[in-house]
């Protein structure tokens, strides 16, 4: 399938993904900013690096956008702030996947968000959170934090320590409900549940395992020994999966992926995954492919 045919399918065959400035707060601080999306269909065009060209895309770690602000080094899988790539705007409703490092004692000052589901996954160090709802908390490796920005929220994030980095993922997902009451939550995972299997860390259901968001999305984390094979079943028909390799390497549907690579796949019912190194850590993000 060529690029023109793929765009036509995304626009006409399976629904149009359209976002405007009203769908996500557009900020002008050159750090925490996203551009409004154009009506461009899926916007996850198959590329020649993918072994399954018609329904998958691979984003190698070194192809990501990079911003170095001194106190903050951020790698952007999708267009964000000063990194703009019209073919890397989103994967379905997954809009932002930032891989951030914050210097000791530094952080993001108070800033606003609205109508976005924001998930933070600390990888190393202590990140202090404060917001306009009165929440004040510290999140660490093994924690999952979620904010439904809804009608609007102000928050700040700082490296709690004066002698070490904070490393964390910040993920933004478009919600399926607008102007909800803002909310905040965080949990600490039982990491033993993610040994050689995928542990659910997020879902649409407040009574399910993990945190929840206003979207038909499911996130899973797993840490695998070498040569462990597993199968992931799609939770909702029509959803796609974006896999992000935190550590190690794996084969996903035969596609080789390495540390910090991203691999997206859609039009599937399940996903076969095999770890190819010791201590392979994978984040799976199942999301709707259209609004």
């Amino acid at each position: 399938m060529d690029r023109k045919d793929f765009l036509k399918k995304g626009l006409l065959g399976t629904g149009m993904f359209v976002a405007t400035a009203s769908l996500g707060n557009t900020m002008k601080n050159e750090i925490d900013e996203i551009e409004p999306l154009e009506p461009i269909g899926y916007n996850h065009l198959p590329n020649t690096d993918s072994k399954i060209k018609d329904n998958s895309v691979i984003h190698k770690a070194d192809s990501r956008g990079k911003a170095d602000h001194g106190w903050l080094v951020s790698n952007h899988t999708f267009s964000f702030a000063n990194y703009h790539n019209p073919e890397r705007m989103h994967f379905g409703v997954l809009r932002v996947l930032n891989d951030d490092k914050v210097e000791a004692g530094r952080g993001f000052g108070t800033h606003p968000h609205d109508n976005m589901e924001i998930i933070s996954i600390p990888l190393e160090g202590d990140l202090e959170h404060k917001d306009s709802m009165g929440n004040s908390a510290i999140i660490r490796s093994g924690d999952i934090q979620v904010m439904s920005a809804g009608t609007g929220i102000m928050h700040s994030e700082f490296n709690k320590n004066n002698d070490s980095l904070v490393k964390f993922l910040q993920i933004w997902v478009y919600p399926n409900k607008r102007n909800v009451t803002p909310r905040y939550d965080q949990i600490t995972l039982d990491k033993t549940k993610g040994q050689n299997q995928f542990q659910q860390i997020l879902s649409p259901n407040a009574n399910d395992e993990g945190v929840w968001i206003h979207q038909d999305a499911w996130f899973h984390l797993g840490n695998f020994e070498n040569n462990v094979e597993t199968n992931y079943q799609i939770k909702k028909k029509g959803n796609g999966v974006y896999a992000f390799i935190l550590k190690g390497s794996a084969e996903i549907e035969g596609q080789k992926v390495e540390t910090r690579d991203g691999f997206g796949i859609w039009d599937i019912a399940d996903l076969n995954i095999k770890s190819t190194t010791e201590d392979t850590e994978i984040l799976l993000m199942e999301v709707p492919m259209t609004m």
Side-chain angles (χ1 to χ4, degrees), residues 13-265:
T14 54
M16 185 187 303
F17 187 107
V18 181
T20 66
S22 64
L23 267 177
N25 183 72
T26 301
M27 304 184 64
K28 300 299 181 184
N29 61 9
E30 297 184 348
I31 293 176
D32 200 4
E33 179 182 348
I34 61 173
E35 294 291 335
L37 301 186
E38 299 296 331
I40 49 178
Y42 279 153
N43 190 240
H44 45 83
L45 304 179
N47 59 30
T48 55
D49 292 329
S50 171
K51 293 182 180 297
I52 317 166
K53 296 184 179 64
D54 282 353
N55 70 322
S56 68
V57 63
I58 184 167
H59 298 140
K60 300 298 291 182
D62 60 5
S63 74
R64 297 177 296 171
K66 184 174 182 180
D68 189 342
H69 301 278
W71 63 272
L72 166 70
V73 176
S74 184
N75 285 282
H76 309 311
T77 293
F78 304 108
S79 293
F80 192 89
N82 290 329
Y83 169 62
H84 180 76
N85 181 340
E87 294 183 5
R88 294 274 283 270
M89 297 296 291
H90 60 90
F91 179 84
V93 300
L94 175 60
R95 177 61 186 87
V96 170
L97 174 54
N98 287 349
D99 186 1
D100 290 347
K101 298 178 183 178
V102 179
E103 289 290 334
R106 302 295 298 273
F108 302 87
T110 302
H111 58 280
H113 295 286
D114 67 81
N115 288 309
M116 191 69 74
E117 302 294 302
I118 300 173
I119 302 101
S120 295
I121 302 178
L123 305 175
E124 183 180 311
D126 303 326
L127 188 67
E128 184 176 26
H129 164 95
K130 293 182 180 180
D131 64 44
S132 54
M133 295 181 290
N135 296 299
S136 180
I138 296 172
I139 55 174
R140 302 176 172 89
S141 176
D143 294 343
I144 305 294
Q145 179 199 76
V146 65
M147 287 194 307
S148 296
T151 54
I153 188 172
M154 304 283 289
H155 81 130
S156 63
E157 297 162 298
F158 277 89
N159 185 343
K160 180 68 174 175
N161 299 316
N162 292 318
D163 57 357
S164 60
L165 286 171
V166 158
K167 300 179 183 180
F168 72 107
L169 301 181
Q170 187 165 120
I171 302 165
W172 296 9
V173 174
Y174 284 113
N176 57 16
K177 297 179 181 178
R178 285 182 49 75
N179 297 323
V180 300
T181 301
R183 55 177 285 271
Y184 173 89
D185 194 16
Q186 72 178 75
I187 62 169
T188 298
L189 299 174
D190 178 355
K191 289 190 173 183
T192 62
K193 293 183 178 180
Q195 292 298 315
N196 289 322
Q197 60 184 347
F198 282 108
Q199 175 184 10
Q200 182 174 291
I201 64 171
L202 176 147
S203 79
N205 187 347
N207 297 317
D208 208 349
E209 187 174 3
V211 295
W212 67 276
I213 63 172
H214 295 283
Q215 188 52 270
D216 292 325
W218 287 262
F219 287 12
H220 289 76
L221 269 175
N223 194 287
F224 300 91
E225 297 172 348
N226 194 21
N227 291 320
V228 174
E229 297 187 40
T230 186
N231 180 269
Y232 177 81
Q233 300 284 325
I234 298 296
K235 306 295 184 186
K236 182 177 180 181
K237 186 177 180 180
N239 278 4
V241 176
Y242 195 88
F244 189 65
I245 311 303
L246 290 168
K247 291 188 295 184
S249 63
E251 289 183 2
I252 302 178
E253 292 294 313
Q255 174 68 55
K256 179 76 171 180
V257 282
E258 299 175 309
T259 301
R260 266 28 184 207
D261 289 351
F263 179 67
I265 188 166

